[in-house]
Amino acid sequence: EARLRRLHQKAPHEISRALQPFGYYRPVIKTELTQPSPDHWRATYTIDPGPPLLIDQFNFTISKGLRQDPEFQKLVRNLPLKKGAVFNHLKYENIKTSLAELAAARGYFKARFVEHRVAIDLDAYAARVYLNYDGGPRYRFGDVLLKQDVLNPDFLRRYIPFKTGSPYTLYELIDLQHALNDSDYFRTVEVSPGLATDDLKVPINVALSPRKHHRYTMGIGYGTDTGARAKFGVEVPRVNRRGHRFSAEARVSKIGYSLTAQYRVPVLNPRTDQMVYSAGLINEKTDVSDSTVKTIGASLNRSHDRWRESISLNYQQEEYVVGADRGVSTLLMPGVNWSRTWGRNFIYTLDGLRLDIGLRGASKKLISDTDFF
């Protein structure tokens, strides 16, 4: 009983302290401790938090270099505390953390707090905040060291989103990591900053281990429209040191077979742009028809901001038998296609919109035996 009563007497002080981080320094706490039965106790606490403590002065300054940085300008515009607001210790600490994290991410490695303190005046019932943050010099990107021996360094450097001497940002390092991972040339990608030099440059180390030289796919199945079917595919992610790729796939089923091949050449921006050379042979037989289509073509696939563009030229020859009708169709088809996707999450999209615009045609004046658009 003595311990219960002692803890009960301490409870109002602990409740009062628990309210202070949220700006309440004058709570009214009523307590009651009763013993309804010999083996049971009931403790009751009624809490009126009282008036919140407001910020009387908010003295917030950052150095000139940070004031000119767009990301710090955005941070300052969205500070969770200001003069006249309820003082909240957690928000105050979040401001300090956000400043330090953003400085590290933006290359201000010598940033420091010249002053960071809060004066709580209980007589005036007001808080005075003093925050002075000096960013110091901003570091810049140094040389990028590529540790690999499978692709030409000049080709790989086209994946680097920054230039030597440009301001350091963690986001561009992450972008480089994603670009190399998405290239599909490497099994592991490690991007890390090195030790800064005296001239305020940070060298970047990129360690890469290649994927296996070949990838194979195989499958068997059954469909009501195709009967038994099987497929076999091969992919060569690195045909040469310039990053060319090759892939081929063969399919066979009860109603026919197909063989397709693609040779991809990175161009311009290798992350998004490529020249694709393709060839294919498709045969399909039904009870009333037999068709064999041979194709060969090339396309240039590029990105323009958020639009995807494909310019193509395809030659197609089809030998067909439909009942008593037999013939050969020849088409030379230039075409262009644009597409764009809107959505909130491209990994797992629950709602969005995709727009595709495509144009293609053929003319008897250019090899084809049919005009169409």
Side-chain angles (χ1 to χ4, degrees):
E1 179 180 346
R3 184 165 182 266
L4 281 173
R5 293 189 181 278
R6 186 169 63 253
L7 293 175
H8 178 65
Q9 290 175 354
K10 292 172 60 178
H13 176 67
E14 294 177 347
I15 293 172
S16 179
R17 288 185 58 192
L19 289 169
Q20 290 178 7
F22 304 97
Y24 296 95
Y25 283 78
R26 290 180 177 174
V28 177
I29 304 169
K30 296 179 181 180
T31 68
E32 183 182 16
L33 182 66
T34 59
Q35 189 176 12
S37 67
D39 297 327
H40 294 85
W41 292 80
R42 178 183 292 118
T44 304
Y45 305 96
T46 304
I47 304 166
D48 178 1
L53 185 81
L54 302 182
I55 299 175
D56 187 345
Q57 296 180 28
F58 188 71
N59 303 293
F60 177 84
T61 56
I62 56 177
S63 56
K64 181 179 179 181
L66 301 185
R67 291 197 302 269
Q68 296 173 345
D69 189 306
E71 293 300 318
F72 274 92
Q73 293 173 1
K74 187 187 303 181
L75 186 150
V76 172
R77 285 196 301 268
N78 297 298
L79 288 177
L81 292 179
K82 61 182 179 180
K83 183 178 179 180
V86 176
F87 177 70
N88 186 305
H89 286 259
L90 303 180
K91 292 181 179 180
Y92 169 74
E93 292 297 331
N94 285 341
I95 292 175
K96 292 166 58 180
T97 301
S98 298
L99 286 168
E101 289 180 346
L102 184 58
R106 302 283 290 172
Y108 300 94
F109 297 129
K110 292 185 178 181
R112 64 186 182 92
F113 285 98
V114 177
E115 184 179 26
H116 60 99
R117 64 186 179 92
V118 178
I120 303 295
D121 187 343
L122 292 180
D123 293 332
Y125 205 64
R128 300 180 184 94
V129 179
Y130 302 89
L131 273 176
N132 183 354
Y133 195 60
D134 182 9
R138 187 175 186 183
Y139 284 67
R140 297 182 175 273
F141 282 112
D143 295 331
V144 179
L145 178 61
L146 299 169
K147 300 177 181 178
Q148 58 88 41
D149 59 358
V150 294
L151 293 173
N152 285 341
D154 290 341
F155 168 70
L156 269 185
R157 292 186 185 280
R158 289 159 58 189
Y159 282 91
I160 301 175
F162 53 83
K163 296 180 179 179
T164 300
S166 62
Y168 176 97
T169 69
L170 178 63
Y171 317 115
E172 289 189 302
L173 278 191
I174 295 174
D175 190 29
L176 174 59
Q177 174 96 30
H178 288 168
L180 294 174
N181 273 324
D182 294 343
S183 72
D184 212 24
Y185 293 123
F186 306 104
R187 182 169 50 88
T188 60
V189 176
E190 296 179 7
V191 178
S192 60
L195 296 177
T197 59
D198 294 337
D199 58 353
L200 302 181
K201 288 187 177 180
V202 181
I204 306 301
N205 299 313
V206 181
L208 306 167
S209 59
R211 278 185 48 195
K212 292 183 178 180
H213 196 262
H214 293 82
R215 176 191 290 175
Y216 300 98
T217 57
M218 290 175 284
I220 58 173
Y222 179 86
T224 55
D225 55 343
T226 62
R229 61 192 183 199
K231 70 174 182 179
F232 175 79
V234 60
E235 180 187 352
V236 183
R238 300 182 317 277
V239 175
N240 51 37
R241 293 179 61 86
R242 298 187 300 278
H244 295 192
R245 310 173 190 270
F246 174 78
S247 62
E249 184 179 75
R251 293 173 177 262
V252 60
S253 69
K254 185 178 179 180
I255 64 170
Y257 60 86
S258 69
L259 176 64
T260 58
Q262 289 188 332
Y263 191 88
R264 300 175 180 267
V265 179
V267 296
L268 304 173
N269 183 351
R271 297 180 63 173
T272 57
D273 305 339
Q274 57 184 349
M275 194 75 191
V276 181
Y277 303 95
S278 59
L281 174 65
I282 302 175
N283 173 264
E284 184 175 302
K285 295 180 180 179
T286 67
D287 295 338
V288 296
S289 66
D290 186 350
S291 169
T292 301
V293 180
K294 303 172 185 177
T295 61
I296 186 171
S299 64
L300 174 61
N301 302 327
R302 300 181 59 190
S303 288
H304 296 282
D305 194 14
R306 299 189 179 185
W307 286 90
R308 188 75 178 154
E309 178 186 72
S310 177
I311 303 172
S312 62
L313 179 65
N314 292 293
Y315 176 79
Q316 172 181 303
Q317 187 179 74
E318 179 181 9
E319 299 178 7
Y320 60 88
V321 177
V322 180
D325 188 14
R326 179 187 300 268
V328 176
S329 169
T330 301
L331 295 173
L332 180 66
M333 297 176 290
V336 61
N337 179 270
W338 298 276
S339 64
R340 180 173 176 177
T341 302
W342 293 263
R344 288 187 298 176
N345 186 338
F346 293 131
I347 303 299
Y348 182 59
T349 306
L350 296 177
D351 59 88
L353 174 70
R354 188 177 72 189
L355 173 66
D356 285 280
I357 305 172
L359 303 172
R360 62 174 178 163
S363 172
K364 293 181 179 179
K365 297 178 181 179
L366 294 173
I367 303 177
S368 305
D369 53 22
T370 301
D371 290 318
F372 81 88
F373 176 77

